[in-house]
Amino acid sequence: MPREDKPSIALVLGSGAARGWAHIGVIRELAGKGIKPDLIVGSSVGAVVAGAYASGNLDQFEEWVCDLGRVDIIRLLDAKMTGGGFLQGKSLMGAIEKRIGNPNIEDLDIPYACVATELGSGREVWLREGSLLDACRASIALPGMFAPSRHGSDRLLLDGGLVNPVPVSLARAMGGDLVIAVNLNADLVGRHFFVHESDEDTSDEDSERLLLHYEEKDTLVSKWAAKMKAGFGVRLDSYISSLRKKESPDPGLFDVIAGSIGIMQDRITRSRMAGEPPDIHITPRLGHIGLMDFDLADESIAAGREATRHKSVEVEQLATALKARSV
C-alpha cells in the first residue's frame, strides 16, 4: 500500500505501441526533479514500462530498447495465422523477461497494476496480482496484432487500451492522491497514416527486392516472411517497406490498423479523462512515431523528457501543496 506519512504520488502510463518508450523519458525527468511515484499503473505498452520500473529493472530495459534495430524487431515477430492474432508474442515476451524478470506483482518494490479487456464481455479488468509477465502480455494484446492472452480456463484478455488507454481511475482506486498521467495519443490521429519519412521513394519493385534481401540475409526472417506471405500476400511488401521507413503510395494493413486504433484510443482517452482527470497531464508529441517504430527509442524518450519539462512547475507545486496538506 502507498505510504501514509505523505500524499501518495501515482504515475499512470498510457497505451501507444512504439510510442511507449516516451514513458521512460517521463520517468527519468520526474526522477531528476526528485519526484518518484509511490505506485504505478499502466495500459498496454505502459504496463510493460511500468513493470520494468516497479521491478527495479528500468536501466536494463532502457538499454535494450535503445539498441533495437529494424531487423531486431522482425526477429521478435513470431507469425502464426491461428489463435486470434498473427503474432503469438512468445518471442517478444521472452525478450522482455530477460530484461525485467517475471516476479509476482505482489512482490514488486512498489504497488503496480495494469489494465486489460475481457474479450467475452468487453469488461475492463484490473490485474493486480500474479505473474508480472502474464499481466503485461494480456495488456498488450492489440487486436489484429497479438493473439489474446488466456487467463484461466475460459477467459481471454485483450489490450487494455480498448477500454482505458490512460487508467487514471485505477490509480485513484489504489490510493493515488496526486495522479500524474502520461497520454501518448494526444498528438496522433492522422499524423503517420499514409507517408513514412524517407530520403528516397520506394516502388513496388524496390520493395520486393528489399523483401528478397531480408529473406536471403536471415533464415529466421525468411521463415517469418513465408508465413506472412501465406496470410497477407501482396501487402507484405508494404509492411517490410514501412519497417524500412520507405515511402508507400497506399496505406498497408498495418497503416490501417495503426490509424484505426489511434482514432479509437484518442476518442476513448478524451472521454475517460473528461470524467477522470489527472492532476498532471503529460502529452508527448509523438504523432510522427508509427505503430511499429520500436527502433526510435531515443527519439521517443527525448519527447517524453521534453513534455515533462513543460509540466515541471505544476508537478513541483502540486507535490509541495499536497505534502503541506498532510501535515
Side-chain angles (χ1 to χ4, degrees):
M1 295 297 293
R3 295 191 297 269
E4 297 180 356
D5 58 338
K6 68 178 183 65
S8 61
I9 298 174
L11 182 59
V12 179
L13 306 183
S15 61
R19 296 178 295 277
W21 302 155
H23 291 315
I24 299 173
V26 173
I27 292 171
R28 298 303 191 193
E29 195 65 25
L30 289 174
K33 298 292 184 181
I35 299 171
K36 296 183 179 180
D38 300 296
L39 63 94
I40 190 166
V41 304
S43 182
S44 194
V45 67
V48 177
V49 178
Y53 179 82
S55 64
N57 293 302
L58 188 62
D59 290 345
Q60 185 176 355
F61 185 79
E62 181 179 5
E63 181 180 355
W64 172 59
V65 302
C66 287
D67 286 341
L68 282 175
R70 296 275 164 174
V71 174
D72 297 318
I73 297 168
I74 293 177
R75 288 175 181 272
L76 295 175
L77 304 183
D78 48 357
K80 185 178 181 181
M81 303 307 159
T82 59
F86 80 88
L87 297 179
Q88 300 307 298
K90 292 182 179 179
S91 296
L92 174 62
M93 297 313 297
I96 292 174
E97 183 177 11
K98 289 181 181 178
R99 279 78 193 183
I100 72 173
N102 187 22
N104 284 328
I105 293 174
E106 306 94 303
D107 298 329
L108 295 174
D109 296 337
I110 66 172
Y112 164 95
C114 66
V115 177
T117 304
E118 190 172 46
L119 178 60
S121 65
R123 187 169 62 89
E124 179 177 338
V125 178
W126 293 352
L127 300 172
R128 301 181 57 178
E129 59 183 18
S131 164
L132 173 63
L133 212 63
D134 287 349
C136 289
R137 173 63 181 85
S139 193
I140 67 169
L142 195 67
M145 296 286 289
F146 288 101
S149 176
R150 184 171 295 278
H151 279 234
S153 59
D154 59 353
R155 196 183 199 191
L156 292 174
L157 299 182
L158 294 172
D159 195 292
L162 295 175
V163 290
N164 202 349
V166 187
V168 174
S169 56
L170 174 53
R172 297 286 190 198
M174 292 176 65
D177 298 309
L178 167 59
V179 176
I180 303 171
V182 187
N183 175 14
L184 305 179
N185 302 313
D187 183 42
L188 182 58
V189 176
R191 292 294 298 276
H192 70 280
F193 189 66
F194 289 104
V195 179
H196 298 277
E197 294 180 359
S198 176
D199 295 329
E200 57 180 305
D201 293 341
T202 302
S203 65
D204 290 341
E205 184 178 348
D206 290 335
S207 295
E208 184 63 26
R209 283 201 299 268
L210 178 63
L211 172 60
L212 292 174
H213 167 73
Y214 272 116
E215 291 179 337
E216 292 170 357
K217 182 177 181 180
D218 193 291
T219 303
L220 292 176
V221 175
S222 179
K223 292 180 180 179
W224 172 83
K227 293 180 181 179
M228 290 289 288
K229 280 181 177 178
F232 296 111
V234 297
R235 295 321 304 166
L236 176 59
D237 64 326
S238 174
Y239 179 57
I240 292 292
S241 178
S242 74
L243 282 180
R244 292 288 293 173
K245 301 297 287 182
K246 300 295 184 179
E247 187 174 343
S248 178
D250 300 308
L253 172 67
F254 294 89
D255 293 310
V256 174
I257 291 175
S260 301
I261 290 174
I263 292 170
M264 176 197 71
Q265 293 196 345
D266 175 65
R267 297 300 183 263
I268 294 174
T269 300
R270 291 172 185 266
S271 177
R272 293 294 301 255
M273 294 188 72
E276 303 162 350
D279 297 284
I280 300 292
H281 185 191
I282 298 174
T283 56
R285 298 185 65 82
L286 298 161
H288 59 292
I289 304 293
L291 180 75
M292 298 291 288
D293 287 339
F294 290 100
D295 61 313
L296 300 182
D298 290 335
E299 191 172 336
S300 297
I301 291 171
R305 281 185 172 275
E306 180 63 24
T308 308
R309 291 190 193 106
H310 288 308
K311 297 289 184 176
S312 60
V313 174
E314 294 178 48
V315 169
E316 292 170 359
Q317 289 177 342
L318 278 173
T320 300
L322 283 173
K323 187 174 182 179
R325 190 185 307 168
S326 67
V327 176

